[in-house]
């Protein structure tokens, strides 16, 4: 009888252990484990279980990392579906980086209408950015039927603020912007009474996580960082519901 009780007790302990092993840890528990291991100033925004072989997504701002259920290992890289070729990490980053386009303060941007203006984009650019100039001189010059809202996002130098203010205070802002970015013709000095939204746009870009220029936002809230060619832009515009 004693032996039977001992066996039953052992089986109970074993079953409890198995149940514990089968139940995955909560994402909150993993977050508490991994956050202090990443450094004092690192804030983990969320941890999410993935369908990828027991990995957990660790989101820090717009960055995606991966860890295991014990928060012992950290993977910094992209996960691809080899059957479809899809970059699953890129798709996830695009998803969490989306904005609500209607919330953009378009009154603080330069408005340029090309053709019927039926398609809409917002572009964050610095007047001293070479890639932004190339985007203007090629891609945007070749793209028609689009309304472009340009946010002058001054992150490269103090001189960027001066150039942006002069352009903002010009009689025709859109022309003054193209004159500078495409033709290299500087806008006249702004009058002392003219106020440009430089500080507001800088705060907006930081809030949206714009770390470089150019950055293009589309009507569906998605974004493309960096300069792209006209063919890529056209393909993206055709996919976006306006």
């Amino acid at each position: 009888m004693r032996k039977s009780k001992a066996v039953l007790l052992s089986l109970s302990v074993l079953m409890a252990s198995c149940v514990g092993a089968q139940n995955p840890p909560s994402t909150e528990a993993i977050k508490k484990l991994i956050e202090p291991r990443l450094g004092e100033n690192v804030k983990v925004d969320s941890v999410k279980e993935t369908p990828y072989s027991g990995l957990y997504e660790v989101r820090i701002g717009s960055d995606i990392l991966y860890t295991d259920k014990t928060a012992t290992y950290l993977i910094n890289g992209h996960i691809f579906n080899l059957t479809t070729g899809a970059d699953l990490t890129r798709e996830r980053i695009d998803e969490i980086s989306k904005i609500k386009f209607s919330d953009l303060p378009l009154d603080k941007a330069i408005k340029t209408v090309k053709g019927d203006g039926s398609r809409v984009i917002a572009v964050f650019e610095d007047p001293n950015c070479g890639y932004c100039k190339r985007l203007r001189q090629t891609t945007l010059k070749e793209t028609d039927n689009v309304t472009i809202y340009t946010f002058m996002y001054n992150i490269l130098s103090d001189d960027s603020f001066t150039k942006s203010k002069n352009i903002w205070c010009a009689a025709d802002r859109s022309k003054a912007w193209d004159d500078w970015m495409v033709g290299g013709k500087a806008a006249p000095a702004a009058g002392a009474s003219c106020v440009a939204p430089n500080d507001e746009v800088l705060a907006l870009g930081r809030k949206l996580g714009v770390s470089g220029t150019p950055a293009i936002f589309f009507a569906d809230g998605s974004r493309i960082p960096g300069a792209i060619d006209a063919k890529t832009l056209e393909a993206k515009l055709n996919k976006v519901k306006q």
Side-chain angles (χ1 to χ4, degrees):
M1 186 63 130
R2 290 179 181 175
K3 184 176 180 181
S4 298
K5 286 184 177 179
V7 169
L8 286 173
L9 181 60
S10 298
L11 286 172
S12 297
V13 172
L14 181 60
M15 288 176 65
S17 300
C18 290
V19 170
Q22 290 172 354
N23 291 334
S26 69
T27 53
E28 189 61 33
I30 295 175
K31 180 180 177 182
K32 288 180 179 178
L33 279 173
I34 199 166
E35 193 168 59
R37 296 176 181 176
L38 295 175
E40 290 183 10
N41 299 319
V42 177
K43 182 182 183 302
V44 174
D45 293 299
S46 67
V47 173
K48 177 182 177 182
E49 187 176 4
T50 78
Y52 322 134
S53 302
L55 291 179
Y56 289 79
E57 171 195 292
V58 180
R59 183 171 71 84
I60 303 172
S62 59
D63 293 326
I64 298 292
L65 305 171
Y66 300 96
T67 190
D68 64 302
K69 65 181 180 181
T70 64
T72 301
Y73 302 100
L74 188 69
I75 300 171
N76 182 7
H78 284 220
I79 294 177
F80 292 83
N81 184 323
L82 294 181
T83 302
T84 65
D87 183 340
L88 301 175
T89 304
R90 179 75 260 168
E91 289 178 0
R92 178 64 177 139
I93 291 172
D94 289 344
E95 179 186 342
I96 65 176
S97 298
K98 277 192 172 184
I99 66 165
K100 190 174 181 181
F101 195 92
S102 60
D103 285 346
L104 290 174
L106 300 181
D107 60 319
K108 294 177 173 58
I110 298 171
K111 182 180 180 180
T112 304
V113 179
K114 299 187 66 180
D116 63 19
S118 57
R119 303 174 301 177
V120 182
I121 60 173
V123 189
F124 282 71
E125 299 177 69
D126 186 298
N128 287 316
C129 165
Y131 290 106
C132 301
K133 292 179 181 179
R134 187 183 305 170
L135 182 73
R136 288 280 160 178
Q137 294 164 2
T138 57
T139 303
L140 296 183
K141 186 177 180 180
E142 297 167 15
T143 304
D144 202 9
N145 298 326
V146 62
T147 298
I148 306 165
Y149 289 96
T150 303
F151 288 93
M152 294 183 286
Y153 187 48
N154 308 302
I155 57 175
L156 294 180
S157 69
D158 291 338
D159 177 60
S160 297
F161 284 87
T162 302
K163 286 187 171 74
S164 289
K165 181 176 180 179
N166 292 342
I167 291 168
W168 183 263
C169 296
D172 187 335
R173 294 167 183 165
S174 180
K175 183 178 183 301
W177 180 252
D178 275 346
D179 282 349
W180 169 248
M181 299 298 281
V182 178
K185 180 183 176 183
S193 61
C194 181
V195 179
N198 287 344
D199 292 336
E200 293 95 324
V201 173
L202 186 64
L204 173 67
R206 287 172 174 168
K207 179 182 177 182
L208 297 178
V210 179
S211 58
T213 54
I216 307 172
F217 289 84
F218 297 86
D220 64 353
S222 62
R223 71 177 79 183
I224 293 180
I228 56 176
D229 60 30
K231 184 178 179 180
T232 303
L233 178 58
E234 193 66 37
K236 175 67 176 178
L237 287 170
N238 288 335
K239 289 180 180 178
V240 174
K241 292 182 179 180
Q242 299 294 323

